[in-house]
Amino acid sequence: MRKLIEFIRSVYVAVLFVVLEALAVSYYAHSTHYTQARLLARSNQLAGGVHGLMAGVHRYFTLGSENRVLLDRVAQLEERLARYEEVVAASRLDSCLQGIGESKYRFAVASVVANSINRQQNLITLNRGLRDGVQPEMALLSPAGAMVGYVVDCSDRYAVAMSVLNTSFRVSGRLAGSDYFGSIYWDGVDPHVVVLGELSKYADPQPGDEVVTTGFSQYFPEDVLIGEVESAELNETRTAYTVRVRLAAEMSRLTDVVLVGNRDLYEIRELQQSEQIEQHTRLK
């Protein structure tokens, strides 16, 4: 009890001061309407600041969950954008094909899923497959109509094509406006240049001359643009030219392609492999 009385004696001055200050503030606060309004505004401002601080602290500790929600939303929007761009690209290419009448060739469009240019055996993967009418041995052209490659295999939803930048790629090509032709292949050196080999020494190729397909190939229609002559030189026996051709298609920026199928391909192949043909070609 004595200790309690001594504690009260030690702090009563401070307690009395606080009580008197509280009474003074209370009296001042209720003295006039103006004073009441001022104090209310100040108290609201202080309370608002405290609430804002607490809200900021709360938001800081919930930034992780909010960031995950935003990332999910961004992923959804990116997926929608990709679908939209795919539809736009397909529509753009479809419009390029309008007006093409019935012929021995049929056309389709596809987007490039994967493409390589820095290997010896480069391939192109497309987002169209068997269920979309894509078949092996369909030719690939750029949207501008330049040679790109041809399909080698298909699944239901995807197709894989051999790029012109593949050392196994072969097709016949000729100088535009002439009958001189040779074999188009890639030597694996420059991803912008292919070789037109075995071109007659009478062809006289000049830099800038266009090189197109011959139509002898079962893959490509006739007169599909391959590229332009960059340089030419006679072989050691001086019997044929080896021509370096700069590709018209920009292979490193390929995003969409036009697929071309020969409607008569399988009929021609079946005929060529018929028993009667074999009988006439069998060695006696």
Side-chain angles (χ1 to χ4, degrees):
M1 187 65 180
R2 181 179 300 176
K3 291 182 179 180
L4 178 59
I5 295 173
E6 289 178 357
F7 175 74
I8 293 174
R9 285 180 179 177
S10 64
V11 300
Y12 84 93
V13 175
V15 173
L16 181 61
F17 175 77
V18 171
V19 171
L20 292 176
E21 283 293 328
L23 291 173
V25 170
S26 176
Y27 175 78
Y28 174 75
H30 294 83
S31 60
T32 63
H33 294 293
Y34 174 77
T35 304
Q36 292 179 7
R38 287 291 301 276
L39 289 177
L40 182 61
R42 292 293 183 181
S43 63
N44 287 339
Q45 183 178 359
L46 179 61
V50 172
H51 286 302
L53 178 62
M54 296 302 295
V57 172
H58 176 72
R59 283 196 298 270
Y60 176 79
F61 286 106
T62 58
L63 283 178
S65 60
E66 291 181 0
N67 189 50
R68 286 191 294 272
V69 172
L70 289 175
L71 288 176
D72 289 340
R73 182 60 176 167
V74 169
Q76 293 175 5
L77 293 175
E78 287 288 348
E79 183 176 353
R80 291 183 182 179
L81 179 60
R83 291 176 181 174
Y84 172 77
E85 290 178 345
E86 182 177 344
V87 170
V88 170
S91 299
R92 184 174 64 251
L93 291 176
D94 282 335
S95 66
C96 294
L97 301 178
Q98 289 179 357
I100 298 178
E102 184 72 17
S103 68
K104 63 182 290 187
Y105 297 102
R106 59 187 180 86
F107 297 81
V109 295
S111 295
V112 175
V113 174
N115 179 29
S116 62
I117 62 170
N118 54 3
R119 305 172 185 171
Q120 295 295 298
Q121 307 291 324
N122 293 295
L123 300 173
I124 302 170
T125 305
L126 308 175
N127 70 338
R128 296 286 185 268
L130 294 172
R131 71 179 188 182
D132 305 299
V134 178
Q135 294 180 338
E137 300 181 320
M138 292 185 75
L140 262 67
L141 309 181
S142 71
M147 185 179 71
V148 170
Y150 59 83
V151 177
V152 292
D153 198 8
C154 297
S155 66
D156 285 341
R157 298 171 54 206
Y158 294 94
V160 174
M162 180 185 293
S163 169
V164 65
L165 301 180
N166 188 308
T167 53
S168 298
F169 183 92
R170 293 292 185 278
V171 71
S172 59
R174 63 178 176 84
L175 296 177
S178 76
D179 295 327
Y180 295 110
F181 65 91
S183 177
I184 292 288
Y185 63 92
W186 185 51
D187 58 5
V189 178
D190 188 339
H192 303 286
V193 176
V194 294
V195 177
L196 172 61
E198 303 173 358
L199 183 68
S200 170
K201 65 178 181 179
Y202 302 108
D204 190 26
Q206 297 296 321
D209 287 350
E210 288 189 347
V211 177
V212 297
T213 56
T214 60
F216 299 155
S217 168
Q218 296 177 338
Y219 305 122
F220 295 92
E222 188 176 3
D223 292 329
V224 170
L225 180 63
I226 299 174
E228 292 184 351
V229 173
E230 188 174 77
S231 63
E233 60 180 7
L234 287 168
N235 58 16
E236 294 180 356
T237 60
R238 304 189 68 81
T239 57
Y241 278 102
T242 298
V243 182
R244 297 188 64 79
V245 180
R246 180 159 291 273
L247 289 170
E250 183 56 67
M251 300 298 293
S252 62
R253 301 175 61 184
L254 198 64
T255 57
D256 304 297
V257 293
V258 177
L259 293 130
V260 184
N262 187 343
R263 299 180 191 272
D264 301 333
L265 175 61
Y266 296 105
E267 181 179 348
I268 294 173
R269 184 164 297 166
E270 183 178 354
L271 179 62
Q272 291 174 340
Q273 297 173 354
S274 67
E275 293 183 2
Q276 291 185 354
I277 299 297
E278 290 182 0
Q279 290 176 2
H280 287 283
T281 56
R282 187 180 299 120
L283 293 177
K284 296 183 179 179

